[in-house]
Coordinates of all heavy atoms in Angstrom, one line a residue:
M66 N 49.1 -12.9 -36.3 CA 49.1 -11.8 -35.4 C 47.8 -11.8 -34.5 O 47.9 -11.7 -33.3 CB 49.1 -10.5 -36.3 CG 48.9 -9.2 -35.6 SD 50.3 -8.8 -34.6 CE 49.9 -7.2 -34.1
Y67 N 46.7 -12.0 -35.2 CA 45.4 -12.1 -34.5 C 45.4 -13.2 -33.5 O 45.0 -13.0 -32.3 CB 44.3 -12.3 -35.5 CG 42.9 -12.4 -34.8 CD1 42.3 -11.3 -34.2 CD2 42.3 -13.7 -34.7 CE1 41.1 -11.5 -33.6 CE2 41.1 -13.8 -34.1 CZ 40.5 -12.7 -33.5 OH 39.3 -12.9 -32.9
S68 N 46.0 -14.3 -33.9 CA 46.0 -15.5 -33.0 C 46.9 -15.3 -31.8 O 46.5 -15.6 -30.7 CB 46.5 -16.7 -33.8 OG 46.7 -17.8 -33.0
S69 N 48.1 -14.7 -32.0 CA 49.0 -14.4 -30.9 C 48.4 -13.4 -29.9 O 48.5 -13.5 -28.7 CB 50.4 -14.0 -31.3 OG 50.3 -12.8 -31.9
R70 N 47.6 -12.4 -30.5 CA 47.0 -11.4 -29.6 C 45.9 -12.1 -28.8 O 45.7 -11.8 -27.6 CB 46.4 -10.3 -30.5 CG 45.8 -9.2 -29.6 CD 45.5 -8.0 -30.4 NE 44.9 -7.0 -29.5 CZ 43.9 -6.3 -29.8 NH1 43.3 -6.4 -31.0 NH2 43.4 -5.5 -28.9
R71 N 45.2 -13.0 -29.5 CA 44.1 -13.7 -28.8 C 44.7 -14.5 -27.6 O 44.1 -14.6 -26.5 CB 43.4 -14.5 -29.8 CG 41.9 -14.8 -29.4 CD 41.2 -15.2 -30.5 NE 40.6 -16.5 -30.2 CZ 39.9 -17.3 -31.1 NH1 39.8 -16.9 -32.3 NH2 39.4 -18.4 -30.7
R72 N 45.8 -15.2 -27.9 CA 46.4 -16.0 -26.9 C 46.9 -15.2 -25.7 O 46.8 -15.5 -24.6 CB 47.6 -16.8 -27.5 CG 47.4 -18.3 -27.6 CD 48.6 -19.1 -28.0 NE 48.6 -19.0 -29.5 CZ 49.8 -18.8 -30.2 NH1 50.9 -18.8 -29.6 NH2 49.7 -18.8 -31.5
F73 N 47.5 -14.0 -26.1 CA 48.0 -13.1 -25.1 C 46.8 -12.6 -24.1 O 46.9 -12.7 -22.9 CB 48.6 -11.9 -25.7 CG 49.0 -10.8 -24.7 CD1 50.2 -11.0 -24.0 CD2 48.3 -9.7 -24.6 CE1 50.6 -10.0 -23.1 CE2 48.6 -8.7 -23.6 CZ 49.8 -8.9 -22.9
L74 N 45.7 -12.3 -24.8 CA 44.5 -11.8 -24.0 C 44.0 -13.0 -23.1 O 43.6 -12.8 -22.0 CB 43.4 -11.3 -24.9 CG 43.7 -10.0 -25.6 CD1 42.7 -9.6 -26.6 CD2 43.9 -8.9 -24.6
S75 N 44.0 -14.2 -23.7 CA 43.5 -15.3 -23.0 C 44.4 -15.6 -21.8 O 43.9 -15.9 -20.7 CB 43.4 -16.5 -23.9 OG 43.1 -17.7 -23.2
L76 N 45.7 -15.5 -22.0 CA 46.6 -15.8 -20.9 C 46.4 -14.7 -19.8 O 46.4 -15.0 -18.6 CB 48.1 -15.7 -21.4 CG 49.2 -15.9 -20.4 CD1 49.1 -17.3 -19.7 CD2 50.5 -15.7 -21.0
G77 N 46.2 -13.5 -20.2 CA 46.0 -12.4 -19.3 C 44.8 -12.6 -18.4 O 44.8 -12.5 -17.2
A78 N 43.7 -13.1 -19.1 CA 42.4 -13.3 -18.4 C 42.6 -14.5 -17.4 O 42.1 -14.4 -16.3 CB 41.3 -13.6 -19.4
T79 N 43.4 -15.5 -17.8 CA 43.6 -16.6 -17.0 C 44.4 -16.2 -15.7 O 44.1 -16.6 -14.6 CB 44.4 -17.8 -17.7 OG1 43.6 -18.1 -18.9 CG2 44.6 -19.0 -16.8
L80 N 45.5 -15.4 -15.9 CA 46.3 -15.0 -14.8 C 45.5 -14.1 -13.9 O 45.5 -14.2 -12.6 CB 47.5 -14.2 -15.3 CG 48.6 -15.1 -15.9 CD1 49.7 -14.2 -16.5 CD2 49.2 -16.0 -14.9
A81 N 44.7 -13.2 -14.4 CA 43.8 -12.3 -13.6 C 42.9 -13.2 -12.8 O 42.7 -12.9 -11.6 CB 43.1 -11.3 -14.5
G82 N 42.3 -14.2 -13.4 CA 41.4 -15.0 -12.7 C 42.1 -15.8 -11.5 O 41.6 -15.9 -10.4
S83 N 43.3 -16.2 -11.8 CA 44.1 -16.9 -10.8 C 44.4 -16.0 -9.6 O 44.3 -16.5 -8.4 CB 45.4 -17.4 -11.4 OG 45.1 -18.3 -12.4
F84 N 44.8 -14.8 -9.9 CA 45.1 -13.9 -8.8 C 43.8 -13.6 -8.0 O 43.9 -13.5 -6.7 CB 45.6 -12.6 -9.3 CG 47.1 -12.7 -9.7 CD1 47.5 -12.3 -11.0 CD2 48.0 -13.2 -8.9 CE1 48.8 -12.4 -11.4 CE2 49.4 -13.4 -9.3 CZ 49.7 -13.0 -10.5
C85 N 42.7 -13.5 -8.6 CA 41.4 -13.2 -7.9 C 41.1 -14.4 -7.0 O 40.7 -14.2 -5.9 CB 40.2 -13.0 -8.9 SG 40.3 -11.4 -9.7
L86 N 41.3 -15.6 -7.5 CA 41.0 -16.8 -6.7 C 42.0 -16.9 -5.5 O 41.6 -17.2 -4.4 CB 41.1 -18.1 -7.6 CG 40.0 -18.3 -8.5 CD1 40.3 -19.6 -9.4 CD2 38.7 -18.6 -7.8
A87 N 43.2 -16.5 -5.7 CA 44.2 -16.6 -4.7 C 43.8 -15.5 -3.6 O 43.9 -15.8 -2.4 CB 45.6 -16.3 -5.2
E88 N 43.4 -14.4 -4.0 CA 43.0 -13.3 -3.1 C 41.8 -13.8 -2.2 O 41.7 -13.6 -1.0 CB 42.6 -12.0 -3.8 CG 43.8 -11.2 -4.1 CD 43.5 -9.9 -4.8 OE1 42.4 -9.4 -4.5 OE2 44.3 -9.4 -5.6
V89 N 40.8 -14.4 -2.9 CA 39.6 -14.9 -2.2 C 40.0 -16.0 -1.2 O 39.6 -16.0 -0.1 CB 38.6 -15.5 -3.2 CG1 37.5 -16.2 -2.5 CG2 37.9 -14.3 -4.0
A90 N 40.9 -16.9 -1.6 CA 41.4 -17.9 -0.7 C 42.1 -17.4 0.5 O 41.8 -17.8 1.6 CB 42.3 -18.9 -1.5
L91 N 42.9 -16.3 0.3 CA 43.6 -15.7 1.4 C 42.6 -15.0 2.3 O 42.7 -15.1 3.5 CB 44.7 -14.7 0.9 CG 45.9 -15.3 0.4 CD1 46.8 -14.2 -0.2 CD2 46.7 -16.1 1.5
A92 N 41.7 -14.3 1.7 CA 40.7 -13.6 2.5 C 39.8 -14.5 3.4 O 39.4 -14.2 4.5 CB 39.8 -12.7 1.6
D93 N 39.6 -15.7 2.9 CA 38.8 -16.7 3.6 C 39.5 -17.5 4.6 O 38.9 -18.2 5.4 CB 38.1 -17.7 2.6 CG 37.0 -17.0 1.8 OD1 36.6 -15.9 2.2 OD2 36.5 -17.6 0.8
T94 N 40.9 -17.5 4.6 CA 41.7 -18.3 5.5 C 41.7 -17.5 6.8 O 42.3 -16.4 6.9 CB 43.1 -18.5 4.9 OG1 43.0 -19.1 3.7 CG2 43.9 -19.4 5.9
P95 N 41.2 -18.1 7.9 CA 41.3 -17.4 9.2 C 42.7 -17.3 9.6 O 43.5 -18.1 9.4 CB 40.5 -18.4 10.1 CG 39.8 -19.4 9.3 CD 40.5 -19.4 8.0
Q96 N 43.0 -16.1 10.2 CA 44.3 -15.8 10.7 C 44.6 -16.4 12.1 O 43.6 -16.4 12.9 CB 44.6 -14.3 10.7 CG 44.6 -13.7 9.3 CD 44.8 -12.2 9.5 OE1 44.3 -11.6 10.4 NE2 45.4 -11.6 8.5
K97 N 45.8 -16.7 12.4 CA 46.2 -17.2 13.7 C 46.2 -15.9 14.6 O 46.6 -14.9 14.2 CB 47.6 -17.8 13.7 CG 48.0 -18.3 15.0 CD 49.5 -18.7 14.9 CE 50.0 -19.2 16.3 NZ 49.9 -18.2 17.4
L98 N 45.6 -16.1 15.8 CA 45.7 -15.0 16.8 C 47.1 -14.9 17.3 O 47.7 -15.9 17.8 CB 44.7 -15.2 17.9 CG 44.8 -14.1 19.0 CD1 44.3 -12.8 18.5 CD2 44.0 -14.6 20.2
L99 N 47.7 -13.7 17.2 CA 49.0 -13.5 17.8 C 48.9 -13.0 19.2 O 48.0 -12.2 19.5 CB 49.8 -12.4 16.9 CG 50.0 -12.8 15.4 CD1 50.7 -11.7 14.7 CD2 50.8 -14.1 15.3
E100 N 49.8 -13.4 20.0 CA 49.8 -12.9 21.4 C 50.0 -11.4 21.5 O 49.7 -10.8 22.5 CB 50.9 -13.7 22.2 CG 50.6 -15.2 22.4 CD 51.7 -15.9 23.2 OE1 52.7 -15.3 23.5 OE2 51.5 -17.1 23.4
T101 N 50.6 -10.9 20.5 CA 50.9 -9.4 20.4 C 49.7 -8.6 19.9 O 49.8 -7.4 19.9 CB 52.1 -9.2 19.5 OG1 51.9 -9.8 18.3 CG2 53.4 -9.7 20.2
D102 N 48.7 -9.3 19.5 CA 47.5 -8.6 19.1 C 47.0 -7.7 20.3 O 47.0 -8.2 21.4 CB 46.4 -9.6 18.7 CG 45.0 -9.0 18.4 OD1 44.4 -8.5 19.3 OD2 44.7 -9.1 17.2
P103 N 46.7 -6.4 20.1 CA 46.3 -5.6 21.2 C 45.2 -6.1 22.1 O 45.2 -6.1 23.3 CB 45.9 -4.3 20.5 CG 46.6 -4.3 19.2 CD 46.7 -5.7 18.8
T104 N 44.1 -6.7 21.5 CA 43.0 -7.3 22.3 C 43.5 -8.5 23.0 O 43.2 -8.7 24.2 CB 41.9 -7.7 21.4 OG1 41.5 -6.5 20.6 CG2 40.6 -8.1 22.2
A105 N 44.4 -9.3 22.4 CA 44.9 -10.5 23.0 C 45.8 -10.1 24.2 O 45.7 -10.7 25.3 CB 45.7 -11.3 22.0
E106 N 46.6 -9.1 24.0 CA 47.4 -8.6 25.1 C 46.6 -8.1 26.3 O 46.8 -8.4 27.5 CB 48.3 -7.5 24.7 CG 49.6 -8.0 24.0 CD 50.6 -6.9 23.7 OE1 50.2 -5.7 23.8 OE2 51.7 -7.3 23.4
S107 N 45.5 -7.4 26.0 CA 44.6 -6.8 27.1 C 43.9 -7.9 27.8 O 43.6 -7.8 29.0 CB 43.7 -5.8 26.5 OG 42.7 -6.4 25.8
L108 N 43.7 -9.1 27.1 CA 43.0 -10.2 27.8 C 43.9 -11.3 28.2 O 43.5 -12.3 28.7 CB 41.9 -10.8 26.9 CG 40.7 -9.8 26.6 CD1 39.7 -10.4 25.6 CD2 39.9 -9.6 27.9
G109 N 45.2 -11.0 28.1 CA 46.3 -11.9 28.6 C 46.3 -13.2 27.8 O 46.8 -14.2 28.3
Y110 N 45.9 -13.2 26.5 CA 45.9 -14.5 25.7 C 47.3 -15.0 25.6 O 48.3 -14.3 25.3 CB 45.3 -14.3 24.4 CG 45.5 -15.5 23.5 CD1 44.6 -16.6 23.6 CD2 46.5 -15.7 22.6 CE1 44.8 -17.8 22.9 CE2 46.7 -16.8 21.8 CZ 45.9 -17.9 22.0 OH 46.0 -19.0 21.3
K111 N 47.5 -16.3 25.8 CA 48.7 -17.0 25.6 C 48.4 -18.3 24.8 O 47.4 -19.0 25.1 CB 49.5 -17.4 26.9 CG 50.0 -16.2 27.7 CD 51.1 -15.5 27.0 CE 51.6 -14.3 27.8 NZ 52.5 -13.5 27.0
D112 N 49.3 -18.7 23.8 CA 49.1 -19.9 23.1 C 49.2 -21.1 24.0 O 48.6 -22.2 23.7 CB 50.2 -20.0 22.0 CG 49.9 -19.1 20.8 OD1 48.8 -18.8 20.5 OD2 50.9 -18.8 20.1
D113 N 49.9 -20.9 25.1 CA 50.1 -22.0 26.1 C 49.6 -21.4 27.4 O 50.2 -20.5 28.0 CB 51.6 -22.4 26.2 CG 51.8 -23.4 27.2 OD1 50.9 -23.7 28.0 OD2 53.0 -24.0 27.2
G114 N 48.4 -21.9 27.9 CA 47.8 -21.4 29.1 C 48.8 -21.4 30.3 O 48.6 -20.5 31.2
S115 N 49.7 -22.3 30.4 CA 50.6 -22.3 31.5 C 51.5 -21.1 31.6 O 52.2 -20.9 32.6 CB 51.4 -23.6 31.5 OG 52.3 -23.6 30.5
K116 N 51.6 -20.3 30.5 CA 52.4 -19.2 30.4 C 51.7 -17.9 30.8 O 52.2 -16.8 30.7 CB 53.1 -19.0 29.1 CG 53.8 -20.3 28.6 CD 55.2 -20.0 28.2 CE 56.0 -21.2 28.1 NZ 56.0 -21.9 26.8
V117 N 50.4 -18.0 31.2 CA 49.6 -16.8 31.5 C 50.3 -16.1 32.7 O 50.7 -16.8 33.7 CB 48.2 -17.2 31.8 CG1 47.4 -16.1 32.5 CG2 47.5 -17.7 30.6
D118 N 50.2 -14.8 32.7 CA 50.7 -14.0 33.8 C 49.7 -14.1 35.0 O 48.7 -13.4 35.0 CB 50.9 -12.6 33.4 CG 51.5 -11.7 34.4 OD1 51.4 -12.0 35.6 OD2 52.0 -10.6 34.1
H119 N 50.0 -15.0 36.0 CA 49.1 -15.2 37.1 C 48.8 -14.0 37.9 O 47.7 -13.8 38.5 CB 49.6 -16.4 37.9 CG 49.6 -17.7 37.2 ND1 48.7 -18.7 37.4 CD2 50.5 -18.1 36.3 CE1 49.0 -19.7 36.6 NE2 50.1 -19.4 35.9
A120 N 49.8 -13.1 38.0 CA 49.7 -11.9 38.8 C 48.6 -11.0 38.2 O 47.8 -10.4 38.9 CB 51.0 -11.2 39.0
K121 N 48.7 -10.9 36.9 CA 47.7 -10.0 36.2 C 46.4 -10.6 35.9 O 45.4 -10.0 35.8 CB 48.3 -9.6 34.8 CG 49.2 -8.4 34.8 CD 49.5 -8.1 33.3 CE 50.4 -6.9 33.1 NZ 50.8 -6.8 31.7
F122 N 46.4 -12.0 35.8 CA 45.2 -12.7 35.5 C 45.0 -13.8 36.4 O 45.1 -15.0 36.1 CB 45.2 -13.2 34.0 CG 45.4 -12.1 33.0 CD1 46.6 -11.8 32.5 CD2 44.3 -11.3 32.6 CE1 46.8 -10.7 31.6 CE2 44.5 -10.2 31.7 CZ 45.7 -9.9 31.2
P123 N 44.6 -13.5 37.7 CA 44.4 -14.5 38.7 C 43.3 -15.5 38.5 O 43.2 -16.5 39.1 CB 44.2 -13.7 40.0 CG 43.7 -12.4 39.5 CD 44.3 -12.1 38.2
K124 N 42.4 -15.1 37.5 CA 41.3 -16.0 37.2 C 41.7 -17.3 36.6 O 41.1 -18.4 36.7 CB 40.4 -15.3 36.2 CG 39.2 -16.1 35.6 CD 38.4 -15.2 34.6 CE 37.6 -16.0 33.7 NZ 36.9 -15.2 32.7
Y125 N 42.9 -17.3 35.9 CA 43.4 -18.5 35.3 C 43.7 -19.6 36.3 O 44.4 -19.4 37.3 CB 44.7 -18.3 34.5 CG 45.3 -19.5 33.9 CD1 44.7 -20.2 32.9 CD2 46.4 -20.1 34.5 CE1 45.2 -21.4 32.4 CE2 47.0 -21.2 34.0 CZ 46.4 -21.9 33.0 OH 46.9 -23.1 32.5
A126 N 43.2 -20.8 36.0 CA 43.5 -22.0 36.8 C 43.4 -23.2 35.9 O 42.3 -23.4 35.3 CB 42.5 -22.1 38.0
P127 N 44.4 -24.1 35.9 CA 44.3 -25.3 35.1 C 43.2 -26.1 35.6 O 42.8 -26.1 36.8 CB 45.7 -26.0 35.4 CG 46.6 -24.9 36.0 CD 45.7 -23.9 36.6
P128 N 42.5 -26.9 34.8 CA 42.8 -27.2 33.4 C 42.1 -26.2 32.4 O 41.8 -26.6 31.3 CB 42.3 -28.6 33.2 CG 41.0 -28.6 34.1 CD 41.3 -27.7 35.3
Q129 N 41.8 -25.0 32.8 CA 41.2 -24.0 31.9 C 42.0 -23.9 30.6 O 43.2 -23.8 30.7 CB 41.0 -22.7 32.5 CG 40.0 -22.6 33.7 CD 39.9 -21.2 34.3 OE1 40.6 -20.3 33.9 NE2 39.1 -21.1 35.3
A130 N 41.4 -24.0 29.5 CA 42.1 -23.8 28.2 C 41.0 -23.5 27.1 O 39.8 -23.9 27.3 CB 42.9 -25.1 27.9
C131 N 41.5 -23.0 26.0 CA 40.6 -22.7 24.9 C 39.8 -23.9 24.5 O 38.6 -23.9 24.3 CB 41.3 -22.2 23.7 SG 42.2 -20.6 24.0
G132 N 40.4 -25.1 24.5 CA 39.8 -26.3 24.1 C 38.6 -26.7 25.0 O 37.7 -27.5 24.5
N133 N 38.5 -26.2 26.2 CA 37.3 -26.5 27.0 C 36.6 -25.2 27.4 O 35.8 -25.2 28.4 CB 37.7 -27.3 28.3 CG 38.7 -26.7 29.2 OD1 38.6 -25.4 29.4 ND2 39.6 -27.4 29.7
C134 N 36.7 -24.2 26.6 CA 36.0 -22.9 26.7 C 34.8 -22.9 25.9 O 34.8 -23.4 24.8 CB 37.0 -21.7 26.3 SG 36.1 -20.1 26.3
A135 N 33.7 -22.4 26.4 CA 32.4 -22.4 25.7 C 32.5 -21.5 24.4 O 31.7 -21.7 23.5 CB 31.3 -21.8 26.6
L136 N 33.5 -20.6 24.3 CA 33.5 -19.8 23.1 C 34.4 -20.4 22.0 O 34.3 -19.9 20.9 CB 34.1 -18.4 23.5 CG 33.2 -17.7 24.5 CD1 34.0 -16.5 25.1 CD2 32.0 -17.1 23.8
F137 N 35.1 -21.5 22.3 CA 36.0 -22.1 21.3 C 35.1 -22.7 20.2 O 34.2 -23.5 20.5 CB 36.8 -23.2 22.0 CG 37.8 -23.9 21.1 CD1 38.9 -23.2 20.7 CD2 37.7 -25.2 20.8 CE1 39.9 -23.8 19.9 CE2 38.6 -25.9 20.0 CZ 39.7 -25.2 19.6
Q138 N 35.4 -22.4 19.0 CA 34.6 -22.9 17.9 C 35.2 -24.1 17.1 O 34.7 -24.5 16.1 CB 34.3 -21.8 16.9 CG 33.4 -20.7 17.6 CD 33.0 -19.6 16.7 OE1 33.8 -19.2 15.8 NE2 31.9 -19.0 16.9
G139 N 36.3 -24.6 17.6 CA 36.9 -25.8 17.0 C 36.1 -27.0 17.5 O 35.3 -26.9 18.4
K140 N 36.4 -28.1 16.9 CA 35.7 -29.4 17.4 C 36.5 -29.9 18.6 O 37.7 -29.6 18.7 CB 35.7 -30.4 16.3 CG 34.8 -30.0 15.1 CD 34.7 -31.2 14.1 CE 34.6 -30.6 12.7 NZ 35.8 -30.9 11.8
T141 N 35.9 -30.7 19.4 CA 36.6 -31.4 20.5 C 37.8 -32.2 20.0 O 37.6 -32.9 19.0 CB 35.6 -32.3 21.2 OG1 34.5 -31.6 21.7 CG2 36.3 -33.0 22.4
G142 N 38.9 -31.9 20.5 CA 40.1 -32.6 20.1 C 40.9 -31.9 19.1 O 42.1 -32.2 18.8
D143 N 40.4 -30.8 18.5 CA 41.1 -30.0 17.5 C 42.3 -29.3 18.3 O 42.1 -28.9 19.4 CB 40.3 -28.9 16.9 CG 39.4 -29.5 15.8 OD1 39.5 -30.7 15.4 OD2 38.5 -28.7 15.3
A144 N 43.4 -29.2 17.6 CA 44.6 -28.5 18.2 C 44.4 -27.0 18.2 O 45.0 -26.3 19.0 CB 45.8 -28.8 17.5
S145 N 43.5 -26.5 17.4 CA 43.2 -25.0 17.3 C 41.9 -24.8 16.7 O 41.3 -25.7 16.1 CB 44.3 -24.3 16.5 OG 44.3 -24.8 15.2
G146 N 41.4 -23.6 16.9 CA 40.1 -23.3 16.3 C 39.7 -21.8 16.4 O 40.4 -21.1 17.2
P147 N 38.7 -21.3 15.7 CA 38.4 -19.9 15.8 C 37.8 -19.5 17.1 O 37.2 -20.3 17.8 CB 37.3 -19.8 14.7 CG 37.3 -21.1 13.9 CD 37.9 -22.1 14.8
C148 N 38.0 -18.3 17.5 CA 37.4 -17.7 18.7 C 36.7 -16.4 18.3 O 37.3 -15.5 17.8 CB 38.4 -17.4 19.8 SG 37.7 -16.6 21.2
P149 N 35.4 -16.3 18.6 CA 34.6 -15.1 18.3 C 35.1 -13.8 19.0 O 34.9 -12.7 18.5 CB 33.2 -15.4 18.6 CG 33.3 -16.5 19.6 CD 34.5 -17.3 19.3
I150 N 35.7 -14.0 20.2 CA 36.2 -12.8 20.9 C 37.2 -12.0 20.0 O 37.3 -10.8 20.1 CB 36.9 -13.2 22.2 CG1 35.9 -13.8 23.2 CG2 37.7 -12.1 22.9 CD1 34.9 -12.9 23.8
Y151 N 37.9 -12.8 19.2 CA 39.0 -12.2 18.4 C 38.6 -12.2 16.9 O 39.4 -12.4 16.0 CB 40.3 -12.9 18.6 CG 40.7 -12.9 20.0 CD1 40.5 -14.0 20.8 CD2 41.2 -11.7 20.6 CE1 40.9 -13.9 22.2 CE2 41.6 -11.7 21.9 CZ 41.4 -12.8 22.7 OH 41.7 -12.7 24.1
G152 N 37.3 -12.0 16.6 CA 36.8 -12.0 15.2 C 37.0 -13.2 14.4 O 37.2 -13.2 13.2
G153 N 37.1 -14.4 15.1 CA 37.2 -15.6 14.4 C 38.7 -16.0 14.1 O 38.9 -17.0 13.4
K154 N 39.6 -15.3 14.7 CA 41.0 -15.7 14.5 C 41.2 -17.0 15.3 O 40.5 -17.3 16.2 CB 41.9 -14.6 15.1 CG 42.0 -13.4 14.1 CD 43.0 -12.4 14.6 CE 43.1 -11.2 13.6 NZ 43.9 -10.1 14.1
I155 N 42.3 -17.7 14.8 CA 42.5 -19.0 15.3 C 43.3 -19.0 16.6 O 44.4 -18.4 16.7 CB 43.3 -19.9 14.3 CG1 42.5 -19.9 13.0 CG2 43.7 -21.2 14.8 CD1 41.2 -20.6 13.1
V156 N 42.8 -19.6 17.6 CA 43.5 -19.7 18.9 C 43.9 -21.2 19.1 O 43.3 -22.1 18.5 CB 42.6 -19.2 20.1 CG1 42.2 -17.8 19.9 CG2 41.3 -20.1 20.2
Q157 N 44.8 -21.4 20.0 CA 45.3 -22.8 20.3 C 44.5 -23.4 21.4 O 44.1 -22.8 22.3 CB 46.8 -22.7 20.7 CG 47.7 -22.1 19.7 CD 47.6 -22.7 18.4 OE1 47.8 -23.9 18.2 NE2 47.3 -21.9 17.3
A158 N 44.2 -24.7 21.2 CA 43.3 -25.4 22.2 C 44.0 -25.4 23.6 O 43.3 -25.4 24.6 CB 43.2 -26.9 21.8
K159 N 45.3 -25.3 23.6 CA 46.1 -25.2 24.9 C 46.1 -23.8 25.4 O 46.7 -23.5 26.5 CB 47.5 -25.7 24.7 CG 47.6 -27.2 24.5 CD 49.1 -27.7 24.5 CE 50.0 -26.8 23.8 NZ 51.4 -27.3 23.7
G160 N 45.6 -22.8 24.6 CA 45.7 -21.4 25.0 C 44.7 -21.0 26.0 O 43.9 -21.9 26.5
W161 N 44.7 -19.8 26.4 CA 43.8 -19.3 27.4 C 43.8 -17.7 27.3 O 44.8 -17.1 26.9 CB 44.2 -19.7 28.8 CG 43.3 -19.2 29.9 CD1 42.2 -20.0 30.4 CD2 43.3 -18.0 30.6 NE1 41.6 -19.2 31.4 CE2 42.2 -18.1 31.5 CE3 44.1 -16.9 30.6 CZ2 41.9 -17.0 32.4 CZ3 43.8 -15.8 31.5 CH2 42.7 -15.9 32.4
C162 N 42.6 -17.2 27.6 CA 42.5 -15.7 27.8 C 41.5 -15.4 28.9 O 40.8 -16.3 29.3 CB 42.2 -15.0 26.5 SG 40.5 -14.8 26.2
N163 N 41.5 -14.2 29.4 CA 40.7 -13.8 30.5 C 39.2 -13.8 30.2 O 38.3 -13.6 31.1 CB 41.1 -12.4 31.0 CG 40.8 -12.2 32.5 OD1 40.9 -13.1 33.3 ND2 40.3 -11.0 32.8
A164 N 38.8 -14.0 28.9 CA 37.4 -14.1 28.6 C 36.9 -15.5 28.7 O 35.7 -15.8 28.3 CB 37.1 -13.6 27.2
Y165 N 37.7 -16.4 29.2 CA 37.4 -17.8 29.4 C 36.0 -18.0 30.0 O 35.7 -17.4 31.1 CB 38.5 -18.6 30.2 CG 38.1 -20.0 30.4 CD1 38.5 -21.0 29.5 CD2 37.5 -20.4 31.6 CE1 38.2 -22.3 29.7 CE2 37.2 -21.7 31.9 CZ 37.5 -22.7 30.9 OH 37.2 -24.0 31.1
V166 N 35.2 -18.9 29.5 CA 33.9 -19.4 30.1 C 33.9 -20.9 30.0 O 34.1 -21.4 28.9 CB 32.7 -18.8 29.3 CG1 31.4 -19.3 29.9 CG2 32.8 -17.3 29.2
K167 N 33.8 -21.5 31.1 CA 33.8 -23.0 31.2 C 32.6 -23.5 30.3 O 31.5 -23.1 30.4 CB 33.6 -23.5 32.6 CG 33.8 -25.0 32.7 CD 33.6 -25.4 34.2 CE 33.8 -26.9 34.3 NZ 33.5 -27.4 35.6
K168 N 33.0 -24.5 29.5 CA 32.0 -25.2 28.6 C 31.0 -25.9 29.5 O 31.5 -26.7 30.4 CB 32.7 -26.1 27.7 CG 31.9 -26.5 26.5 CD 32.6 -27.5 25.6 CE 33.5 -26.8 24.6 NZ 34.1 -27.8 23.6
G169 N 29.7 -25.7 29.3 CA 28.7 -26.3 30.2 C 28.4 -27.8 29.9 O 29.0 -28.4 29.1
Ligands
SF4_81 S1 37.5 -16.7 24.9 FE1 37.9 -18.9 25.3 S2 38.4 -19.8 23.3 FE2 38.6 -17.6 23.1 S3 40.8 -17.2 23.5 FE3 39.7 -16.9 25.4 S4 39.9 -18.9 26.5 FE4 40.4 -19.2 24.3

């Protein structure tokens, strides 16, 4: 009886620890920026810069893209990376928004 109770408590502690680790892992995983995010919509963000609404955002001109924006925090050549404008959410290197600043 004592042994099975101990095993039960041990199993419970292990499961609780696993859930905590999973929560920490999820919390630390940056989220992809959605085009429907209110800030993304207001700044005209698109995963594919060629789909930017040129009438609303005349500033856009190829080859402007997140991948060559000064704010892009991915490495050169990365397909995506965090952007501080959106709290570190992941933007696509081919993406674009109206906060674009040419990398110097
Ligand atoms: S600020 Fe730059 S890196 Fe961030 S979404 Fe806009 S264009 Fe992309």
Side-chain angles (χ1 to χ4, degrees):
M66 172 75 171
Y67 176 74
S68 174
S69 68
R70 182 167 180 225
R71 205 162 124 185
R72 247 185 280 139
F73 174 77
L74 290 173
S75 173
L76 178 65
T79 302
L80 286 174
S83 298
F84 285 126
C85 286
L86 286 176
E88 278 182 28
V89 168
L91 283 175
D93 286 349
T94 304
Q96 293 178 327
K97 179 188 180 304
L98 177 67
L99 300 176
E100 292 177 355
T101 53
D102 175 289
T104 308
E106 277 189 344
S107 71
L108 290 173
Y110 173 80
K111 294 289 179 195
D112 285 334
D113 178 349
S115 69
K116 304 231 167 90
V117 168
D118 182 340
H119 295 257
K121 272 188 178 170
F122 301 99
K124 175 179 157 183
Y125 172 72
Q129 293 178 359
C131 295
N133 59 40
C134 173
L136 296 166
F137 184 69
Q138 294 181 329
K140 292 186 215 116
T141 303
D143 282 354
S145 60
C148 176
I150 294 289
Y151 302 102
K154 286 186 179 173
I155 302 299
V156 299
Q157 302 305 304
K159 292 188 317 185
W161 184 89
C162 87
N163 206 38
Y165 176 85
V166 177
K167 187 179 178 187
K168 199 183 272 185

